[in-house]
Amino acid sequence: MPEPAKHYRPGSDAPSDVSSDEGWEIFGLMDQHAYLRIKPGDDLKVGDMIAFDISHPCLTFDKWRQVLVVDPKYRVTEVIETFF
């Protein structure tokens, strides 16, 4: 399963790392949707963004026809077409 890697709240300067000891985990997938389990009281709000590490590159290329390349400020700098 994909693993949560970064947490970003709009208005923050930069995303923060999600450590494995926070206990966040994906427990199910459906199409492009992931079901994330968190602990009660975790600081997540509507509009927060979570970035995930991919579980396997083949799955990523099979599901997404384009991959976005971003700069260190997460601005899209390039779009790469995939042909898997």
Side-chain angles (χ1 to χ4, degrees), residues 6-61:
K6 301 271 185 191
H7 173 218
Y8 176 75
R9 179 164 292 152
S12 301
D13 291 334
S16 59
D17 291 330
V18 174
S19 69
S20 59
D21 63 339
E22 289 188 62
W24 294 3
E25 70 171 324
I26 297 297
F27 64 92
L29 295 173
M30 183 178 58
D31 297 326
Q32 72 272 24
H33 302 284
Y35 295 92
L36 176 66
R37 181 176 289 125
I38 62 172
K39 296 182 298 197
D42 280 349
D43 185 26
L44 285 178
K45 295 182 179 180
V46 173
D48 285 3
M49 293 177 256
I50 301 172
F52 295 87
D53 288 337
I54 60 174
S55 55
H56 194 280
C58 291
L59 177 63
T60 301
F61 290 119

